[in-house]
Amino acid sequence: MEERARSNEVSHMKEGQSGYVAPEPLTKPDVLPLPAGTTNMTTARESLRELGCCIVTDVLSPAEIQDLKTKMDAQYEAEQRLGELCPDRGSSNKIVIPNLVNKGEHYLDLITREETEALASFMLGKNWLLSSLTAHMFTGTTPGEELVHRDQGQVPASVEFPALLNLFYLLDDFTPERGSTVVFPGSHRWPLEHRVHPPKPSLGHQVTIPAGSLFAFEGRLWHATGANQSGHRRRALSVFCSAPWLRQQENALASTARHVLESSSSQLQARLGLKTYGTLGNVNGTRVTNQRVAFGSVDVGLPDYLIGENAELIPMGRNEISGDNP
């Protein structure tokens, strides 16, 4: 009894780095109701805390939705024409278009939107990082639900706070026949033994959410992509956010074009990882702007040279995109 009380006391403590306060743990693996759609960010944040997910409606305007759909389809078709240079998309009709950071400011704008900032900072703290920026779509029907999983699978299930947050900006209506997401609200609060082994998909709720909404769910929540019965493209853009101490899904500093990094705002640079977090994320082996010499977070400068053996200066390449390049 004393051990259980101590566990409850710990779960209600404030998470030191983000300020996240854990809700009351559940004694059984109960699937709670889906959150109602809202335009109130306070309500959305509370749904995220209590249910592990939230739905914010009327986020994207009809013009924004159409523009992003057109550009996303064009990007997909252009990459398909690359042939062997196209990223391997696997055998499923549910595909991901990766690394949108290099594919237009219209995608980068989602990272710094006020809705992204409000929810990610609430769950992960003000120094959160962009883990990846991806597009999700179907190219046909699928035979069944995706494997039920937690995005935070690399983090021990015993951790009582979120380390990841997935923000889905919906470009089409999410409906069960189109393969909308199956979620298990409240599963981040389940007893530990039920946070290790996934539940059956049939026990979850399949969402119905209108286009233009923001559907967010934290990294400990059990969820899966539903079966697409109609073959509808069901497009969405994912802004996947992580705690500043967790390795990013996309290795941003290796896969981001130098001109994108250099032309980005300081806010966007920080989200991509160009800001230190205590003693993490430093560039110590060469001279850079704002070099960290003591504790504290500073902007990271991109080095022109690295220092090699016998102090040889190794130039850093600039993977600039130019219309003059072959």
Side-chain angles (χ1 to χ4, degrees), residues 257-300:
R258 180 73 176 249
H259 79 280
V260 172
L261 292 174
E262 292 182 337
S263 63
S264 297
S265 66
S266 59
Q267 180 188 11
L268 181 54
Q269 287 178 348
R271 299 308 182 207
L272 291 170
L274 280 177
K275 188 164 189 173
T276 65
Y277 183 66
T279 59
L280 304 179
N282 295 288
V283 177
N284 293 322
T286 186
R287 174 74 69 171
V288 291
T289 307
N290 300 327
Q291 194 137 29
R292 190 192 71 84
V293 294
F295 286 103
S297 296
V298 298
D299 294 333
V300 173

Side-chain angles (χ1 to χ4, degrees), residues 26 61 106 111 170 185 191 250 285:
L26 299 175
S61 70
H106 45 285
I111 304 169
L170 310 190
E250 180 77 33

Side-chain angles (χ1 to χ4, degrees), residues 12 24 40 46 53 80 96 136 144 167 176 186 221 256 279 322:
H12 282 82
E24 183 78 26
N40 184 293
E46 191 56 23
C53 56
Q80 289 299 105
V96 174
H136 296 246
L167 302 164
L221 198 77
T256 303
T279 59
S322 170

Side-chain angles (χ1 to χ4, degrees), residues 93-126:
N93 283 335
K94 166 67 167 60
I95 69 160
V96 174
I97 305 174
N99 198 15
L100 299 182
V101 167
N102 297 319
K103 297 173 183 177
E105 289 188 16
H106 45 285
Y107 300 126
L108 294 175
D109 289 343
L110 296 175
I111 304 169
T112 53
R113 280 189 77 104
E114 60 178 327
E115 296 88 357
T116 300
E117 186 66 46
L119 296 181
S121 295
F122 171 71
M123 297 296 283
L124 305 171
K126 65 179 181 179

Side-chain angles (χ1 to χ4, degrees), residues 75-89 98:
Q75 183 70 36
Y76 168 70
E77 300 297 342
E79 292 190 16
Q80 289 299 105
R81 292 193 293 271
L82 291 175
E84 292 183 356
L85 294 178
C86 180
D88 184 2
R89 306 204 192 278

Side-chain angles (χ1 to χ4, degrees), residues 6-307:
R6 190 181 303 116
S7 175
N8 286 344
E9 182 182 342
V10 170
S11 70
H12 282 82
M13 289 177 64
K14 193 180 219 185
E15 201 284 304
Q17 295 172 325
S18 70
Y20 174 84
V21 178
E24 183 78 26
L26 299 175
T27 58
K28 297 185 298 182
D30 293 329
V31 179
L32 301 182
L34 284 169
T38 183
T39 58
N40 184 293
M41 294 306 293
T42 300
T43 302
R45 285 191 288 260
E46 191 56 23
S47 291
L48 261 181
R49 198 178 78 87
E50 294 287 337
L51 301 174
C53 56
C54 70
I55 299 167
V56 185
T57 55
D58 300 320
V59 173
L60 299 176
S61 70
E64 287 176 311
I65 294 169
Q66 188 55 54
D67 181 57
L68 288 168
K69 284 168 70 169
T70 300
K71 287 174 176 172
M72 180 174 165
D73 287 348
Q75 183 70 36
Y76 168 70
E77 300 297 342
E79 292 190 16
Q80 289 299 105
R81 292 193 293 271
L82 291 175
E84 292 183 356
L85 294 178
C86 180
D88 184 2
R89 306 204 192 278
S91 58
S92 174
N93 283 335
K94 166 67 167 60
I95 69 160
V96 174
I97 305 174
N99 198 15
L100 299 182
V101 167
N102 297 319
K103 297 173 183 177
E105 289 188 16
H106 45 285
Y107 300 126
L108 294 175
D109 289 343
L110 296 175
I111 304 169
T112 53
R113 280 189 77 104
E114 60 178 327
E115 296 88 357
T116 300
E117 186 66 46
L119 296 181
S121 295
F122 171 71
M123 297 296 283
L124 305 171
K126 65 179 181 179
N127 295 302
W128 60 271
L129 298 176
L130 178 74
S131 189
S132 63
L133 183 64
T134 52
H136 296 246
M137 64 185 291
F138 286 91
T139 56
T141 60
T142 53
E145 299 90 354
E146 180 188 51
L147 180 69
V148 176
H149 65 284
R150 301 178 306 122
D151 287 340
Q152 206 162 301
Q154 298 91 339
V155 179
S158 57
V159 169
E160 298 288 354
F161 54 86
L164 291 163
L165 178 67
N166 211 333
L167 302 164
F168 263 49
Y169 285 88
L170 310 190
L171 305 185
D172 292 296
D173 293 343
F174 265 39
T175 63
E177 58 271 16
R178 292 179 177 182
S180 64
T181 312
V182 178
V183 291
F184 297 77
S187 55
H188 64 307
R189 299 163 56 187
W190 287 357
L192 180 58
E193 60 268 26
H194 297 288
R195 283 184 266 153
V196 177
H197 302 291
K200 295 179 180 178
S202 59
L203 298 177
H205 298 310
Q206 195 160 9
V207 300
T208 298
I209 308 174
S213 300
L214 171 57
F215 176 41
F217 47 94
E218 65 133 287
R220 296 172 295 167
L221 198 77
W222 289 115
H223 67 282
T225 300
N228 189 320
Q229 304 160 35
S230 68
H232 190 278
R233 282 206 162 178
R234 201 226 68 178
R235 309 163 188 85
L237 297 166
S238 166
V239 183
F240 194 36
C241 309
S242 72
W245 46 264
L246 186 64
R247 189 173 187 183
Q248 293 153 280
Q249 189 174 55
E250 180 77 33
N251 195 325
L253 298 187
S255 63
T256 303
R258 180 73 176 249
H259 79 280
V260 172
L261 292 174
E262 292 182 337
S263 63
S264 297
S265 66
S266 59
Q267 180 188 11
L268 181 54
Q269 287 178 348
R271 299 308 182 207
L272 291 170
L274 280 177
K275 188 164 189 173
T276 65
Y277 183 66
T279 59
L280 304 179
N282 295 288
V283 177
N284 293 322
T286 186
R287 174 74 69 171
V288 291
T289 307
N290 300 327
Q291 194 137 29
R292 190 192 71 84
V293 294
F295 286 103
S297 296
V298 298
D299 294 333
V300 173
L302 293 169
D304 292 322
Y305 297 90
L306 298 179
I307 298 174

